[in-house]
Amino acid sequence: MATVGLIGGTGDLGNALAVHLAKKYLVFIGSRSLDKAQSTVNDVLEEKSASSYLQSNLRPAENSQVVTSCDSLILTVPHSNALDTIQSLLTSFRGNQLLISAVAAVGKQDDEFFVDEVPGGGSFAESIRKILPDTVKVAAAFQTVPANVMYKELSISADVPVAADSPDTYSSAASLISDIQGLRPLYVGSLKQANEVERLTALLLNIGKRNALKSPTTKFPSF
Ligand SMILES: NC(=O)c1ccc[n+]([C@@H]2O[C@H](COP(=O)([O-])OP(=O)(O)OC[C@H]3O[C@@H](n4cnc5c(N)ncnc54)[C@H](OP(=O)(O)O)[C@@H]3O)[C@@H](O)[C@H]2O)c1
């Protein structure tokens, strides 16, 4: 069975993706602390009435173990810790892996969300690409996916913009995204576009707040 590892998977988005991906993959919930990862797995099993696929396919691990052992990785840590986290795990990557950054460039001031850029410019995904060896494919995706809706396993129909360092990387990321019911990956182009993808979260959160829309997401109908 193919493996997916969630770096910082103990948070809202990590938990949400884990409950869906465990239907098809062996999923490792990663954390800086093995105890926290174990307690998160226990909580998810309890909240989801220990579904049989979760019991079999959900495992706790330290982030470094996740990075060493998984074919595909999803980075689900706050943007302010994203680059330091990748740097600290650098020696654990074994290569021939896919890393999808779900990191959104979003901050909050007073009652408004804003785009909190990478210091020095560019996107988080491009900065991660520069840190990692070429044998790790890098994509940006999931920034527009609301964790609460996904965790509750409510019916969803959403488009997921994906920026990727090559069409081949896009295909790998799209295949994983398509394995989650209700999500449709859409290719936006190279990692140069990741900036735009990472900015969408602040836009969605402000739209939700100002218009009393619960958990808005992206959908691109065509006519
Ligand atoms: N929540 C959403 O609906 C949503 C939607 C789209 C995109 N995103 C993006 O996805 C990412 C994760 O979102 P989230 O809401 O799941 O975040 P979160 O709950 O705030 O944090 C996720 C995990 O990051 C780890 N973490 C926290 N501080 C850290 C630090 N200083 N260094 C290393 N790791 C640290 C923690 O894991 P441990 O303590 O176990 O190590 C934490 O459980 C963010 O970049 C967010 O912008 C979120």
Side-chain angles (χ1 to χ4, degrees):
M1 194 176 221
T3 49
V4 177
L6 297 152
I7 304 169
T10 53
D12 292 343
L13 187 62
N15 285 201
L17 295 177
V19 298
H20 289 273
L21 291 169
K23 291 172 187 164
K24 281 206 95 161
Y25 299 88
L26 185 57
V27 175
F28 288 82
I29 290 197
S31 171
R32 290 166 293 175
S33 144
L34 182 57
D35 285 348
K36 185 172 171 186
Q38 180 66 69
S39 118
T40 300
V41 168
N42 294 346
D43 289 349
V44 172
L45 288 176
E46 193 180 323
E47 284 162 17
K48 295 290 176 185
S49 309
S51 310
S52 59
Y53 66 89
L54 287 176
Q55 286 203 45
S56 321
N57 295 343
L58 207 54
R59 308 271 169 86
E62 281 185 15
N63 285 332
S64 56
Q65 185 60 39
V66 165
V67 168
T68 303
S69 54
C70 292
D71 308 312
S72 301
L73 300 158
I74 307 176
L75 180 66
T76 55
V77 298
H79 69 286
S80 47
N81 312 116
L83 302 183
D84 285 351
T85 296
I86 292 297
Q87 193 71 56
S88 72
L89 295 169
L90 197 49
T91 55
S92 300
F93 284 87
R94 60 171 156 76
N96 295 321
Q97 291 164 294
L98 167 71
L99 181 125
I100 302 177
S101 169
V103 172
V106 60
K108 192 173 184 199
Q109 192 165 29
D110 302 323
D111 67 341
E112 201 154 74
F113 297 93
F114 65 94
V115 174
D116 197 9
E117 309 262 13
V118 181
S123 62
F124 288 94
E126 284 175 292
S127 300
I128 289 166
R129 168 70 290 162
K130 283 179 194 152
I131 296 171
L132 288 176
D134 288 347
T135 53
V136 182
K137 303 176 194 174
V138 177
F142 293 120
Q143 283 78 3
T144 54
V145 172
N148 57 339
V149 173
M150 299 295 292
Y151 187 71
K152 289 181 196 155
E153 298 180 79
L154 302 177
S155 170
I156 189 167
S157 172
D159 291 330
V160 181
V162 184
D165 62 9
S166 70
D168 178 47
T169 301
Y170 168 70
S171 295
S172 303
S175 162
L176 189 145
I177 294 163
S178 302
D179 282 332
I180 300 179
Q181 195 174 10
L183 300 189
R184 178 175 70 153
L186 290 178
Y187 193 18
V188 301
S190 75
L191 275 191
K192 287 186 188 137
Q193 307 298 330
N195 226 341
E196 303 308 321
V197 175
E198 292 173 359
R199 286 164 168 259
L200 290 170
T201 316
L203 181 75
L204 287 171
L205 290 170
N206 283 325
I207 287 173
K209 188 173 173 64
R210 300 298 181 197
N211 300 280
L213 296 176
K214 238 178 159 182
S215 310
T217 184
T218 39
K219 186 86 187 154
F220 298 93
S222 66
F223 302 96

